[in-house]
Amino acid sequence: DELVLITSPTHAFASKKRVHIEDLCEESLMVMDVSEPSPWHLKIADAFIQCKAPLHLTVENAPIETIKKMVAIGLGVGFVPLMSVGEERASGELAVVEVHGFHLERSVWLVSRRAIQSPAAKAFVQTTVAFGEQLRERGPAIVPKVARSSAPPLLKRERVLFVKRQA
């Protein structure tokens, strides 16, 4: 998944194919995770330092959905994962603009057990893999239709309960 710059469709950057880091120095910038130990923080800060451009963070550590909504109404520009803006980009609610010399990707993994999976788990894996393949091809994600399984419902002992442990 790639970290990309998003703008509202009415922003001056939206009509440009590419901008430079230096172009962002006067913009209100919104990012999701810029805490010191975060690799996002290091990469974003390093890009601005290398270009000797000031970094004006307006919003830090906001949820991605909040950043998208704030950017869409014109409160600034933001960096978010590409996979999170597919629908807004397709509908014209947000524009994705390339930042020259700035390219940051992260790997997203799907881990599953080898045990027998429920029909819902199988559908989730199929959908996730299809979505990942579409992202890799840079096309719009198309969620495949999953045929209903004729498998019997899970027995009570086969059901899985997910419990979130507190640290």
Side-chain angles (χ1 to χ4, degrees), residues 65-126:
E65 290 301 316
T66 302
I67 292 171
K68 293 188 319 186
K69 288 183 185 339
M70 292 175 76
V71 167
I73 62 173
L75 296 178
V77 298
F79 280 108
V80 296
L82 178 61
M83 70 185 327
S84 70
V85 293
E87 290 178 22
E88 294 86 355
R89 185 180 189 187
S91 71
E93 185 181 344
L94 290 172
V96 174
V97 181
E98 181 183 340
V99 179
H100 180 71
F102 182 82
H103 184 79
L104 180 58
E105 288 188 1
R106 66 177 178 170
S107 296
V108 179
W109 296 86
L110 173 65
V111 179
S112 65
R113 293 179 179 231
R114 292 184 188 191
I116 297 173
Q117 294 179 337
S118 70
K122 286 179 185 177
F124 175 78
V125 169
Q126 288 175 336

